[in-house]
Amino acid sequence: MKKRLSILFSLMLVLSLFLSACGGFQKGNESAGEKGKNGDKAANVPQELHVNIKTEPFSLNPGLANDSVSANVLYQTFEGLTRIKNGKPELAMAESYEVSKDLKTYTFKLRDAKWTNGDPVTAKDFEYAWKWALDPKNQSQYAYQLYYIKNGQAFNEGKAKAEDVGVKAIDDKTLQVTLENPTPYFLELTAFYTYFPVNSKIAAKNPKWYTNAGPDYTSNGPFKMVSWEHNNKIVLEKNENYWDANSVKLTKIEMVMVNDTNTELSMFNNGELDWAGMPTGQLPPDSLPKLKEEGKLKVQPIAGTYWYKFNTEKPPLNNVNIRKALAYAIDRKAIVENVAKGGEIPAMAAVPPTMFPENKKGYFKDNDVEKAKEYLKKGLQELGLKDVKDLPPITLSFNTDDKHAKIAQAIQDMWKKNLGIEVKLDNSEWAVYIDKLHSGDYQIGRMGWLGDFNDPINFLELYRDKEGGNNDTNWENPKYKQLLIDSQKETDPEKRKEMLKEAESILMDEMPIAPIYFYTNTWVQKDNLKGVEMSGLGDVQFKWAYFE
């Protein structure tokens, strides 16, 4: 994920951020004053939030997390150099920063901040965490998010040493970061969880510090974890050591793990939950029309794509024409209207139309059964098979969820009806499922991708490298890869866009993935719950939330 805009644009953006640093970035005392007004409204109302996160997080170590469940916890308990609010980065752990003339070196000054155990948050904690995630022996799926840093990729691939990586603690309060190329959105990246710090003292003593709640699970965000009942619930409480604690009005957040959408909605209706649905949970698809009619449903388009991944090394999915046949034979309009029911947009492209507006139309026709049959016939010939019944068995895997199951069943029926292909369904709990995908133990697997920052490269770079952290398809194309690499250095925005569009056309031609729809967030919430920060990328922060 390494997008590069023009130097002129970079300079303008950095200048604007400098101005923000001088006057526009929200300071702790200003933020506290704003929330003080909210606090008056909330004075006599219990400030305890109850939400559902559906399942056990993959990992609550920022350097290992790679999923939305983990992210929804980490965004409450940790904090990076910056934090996103109203779609823009504001200073967080960093009190100020400077950028070199070549736009490649950032020098951050940290504010006085503490970990939940009282230890000071230091520049070394950032250096430790970033290098830990890049260290190949730790197998961080999101290490590539740190490739913007000089020698980050080289270290991750065993071609450089840790000391060569361009992040250095000058002293306890000064962090110097050197980038490979000017990166105008770098202050957005530093708000992403892979860039969060880790208490280096604790981590050095206990390498498994992140596996349970307790004295060793230290964090630096607005909330601290006080309880983690695995596969049941996580309880957070306000972090009294947080630098901006005056802005935090919630005293407690209870995150239950209920992986049944009907139960989640019932719990909301019974008053057991204050929020039901995305991005932390999921509403039953069948409930959405009625909730919308009653005026209770909230819908927000987000930069995300729901797709199926093909393991391109598992027969018969190692054949591009078989993959195309399966992708073209899906009736996406029927799925979004009759199954998903949340205002989703049928996807015939990988990058959301919020980034490429022309992708509302996409690269191929929806439900093009005739074309799908042509690809199937060609694929069978290439495989030396006479009939569709001779195809090796195909299994479609998905993580346990009512919506995923219904979509899988609908597509299973479409493939049987339109192509005569028999597909078996396989579901498993999230932690088991994500391990299957990452280890290549699947044929077709459901996955969604929500943008980490607002640029097409964020979606396309997933499939740049066969061994890339979140690729899972085992697909790699030299021309596709080179286009993405070259786009990092292209200073003309229009030329860069064309390079990315050409790359996407290769992706959609070789079909290691079959896009299904572009996401919306759908949810219901208590009327008196205010101040929840929802980003256009689909994540949520409760730092500023309160009950009136």
Side-chain angles (χ1 to χ4, degrees), residues 44-256:
N44 298 316
V45 181
Q47 297 299 311
E48 297 187 2
L49 176 68
H50 299 82
V51 300
N52 179 33
I53 60 172
K54 300 201 311 185
T55 187
E56 179 79 359
F58 176 71
S59 177
L60 292 186
N61 179 342
L64 291 178
N66 59 16
D67 63 302
S68 60
V69 179
S70 304
N72 285 327
V73 181
L74 292 171
Y75 279 126
Q76 323 316 322
T77 53
F78 279 81
E79 186 166 87
L81 295 165
T82 55
R83 182 179 280 273
I84 303 297
K85 189 177 185 184
N86 298 322
K88 297 179 180 179
E90 66 173 26
L91 290 172
M93 284 291 106
E95 191 171 50
S96 64
Y97 68 96
E98 294 179 354
V99 186
S100 62
K101 288 183 180 180
D102 67 359
L103 307 178
K104 288 166 60 172
T105 300
Y106 286 69
T107 303
F108 296 93
K109 289 291 183 181
L110 303 189
R111 65 175 77 250
D112 290 329
K114 295 180 179 179
W115 293 100
T116 46
N117 68 346
D119 289 344
V121 178
T122 68
K124 181 183 177 183
D125 295 330
F126 283 90
E127 180 182 358
Y128 173 89
W130 297 4
K131 288 182 176 179
W132 188 94
L134 283 168
D135 191 329
K137 73 173 184 287
N138 294 320
Q139 298 183 326
S140 170
Q141 297 287 336
Y142 248 144
Y144 64 86
Q145 280 282 27
L146 297 156
Y147 284 4
Y148 303 94
I149 301 168
K150 189 173 181 61
N151 289 321
Q153 181 173 0
F155 176 45
N156 188 241
E157 294 177 350
K159 300 172 184 176
K161 298 178 181 178
E163 53 265 32
D164 299 325
V165 178
V167 55
K168 183 179 181 181
I170 305 299
D171 55 44
D172 283 351
K173 289 296 182 68
T174 309
L175 183 72
Q176 187 179 82
V177 184
T178 303
L179 306 179
E180 290 280 1
N181 298 290
T183 307
Y185 48 89
F186 185 62
L187 294 180
E188 286 186 51
L189 286 168
T190 55
F192 187 66
Y193 53 80
T194 311
Y195 283 80
F196 288 170
V198 162
N199 188 325
S200 54
K201 289 182 180 178
I202 294 290
K205 294 178 184 176
N206 178 11
K208 297 294 184 182
W209 63 271
Y210 53 88
T211 55
N212 289 289
D216 282 353
Y217 194 92
T218 57
S219 60
N220 68 322
F223 300 94
K224 60 183 179 181
M225 183 166 63
V226 296
S227 173
W228 185 359
E229 298 175 26
H230 292 283
N231 298 301
N232 185 24
K233 69 178 178 180
I234 288 172
V235 179
L236 311 179
E237 290 182 358
K238 179 176 176 177
N239 177 13
E240 65 278 4
N241 282 330
Y242 180 53
W243 70 272
D244 196 20
N246 287 339
S247 296
V248 183
K249 296 306 170 190
L250 294 178
T251 59
K252 180 180 178 181
I253 304 176
E254 184 177 83
M255 298 175 152
V256 298

Side-chain angles (χ1 to χ4, degrees), residues 6 16 22 155 202 261 301 304 509 528 537 546:
S6 70
S16 70
C22 296
F155 176 45
I202 294 290
T261 56
D509 184 54
N528 66 332
L537 299 174
Y546 65 98

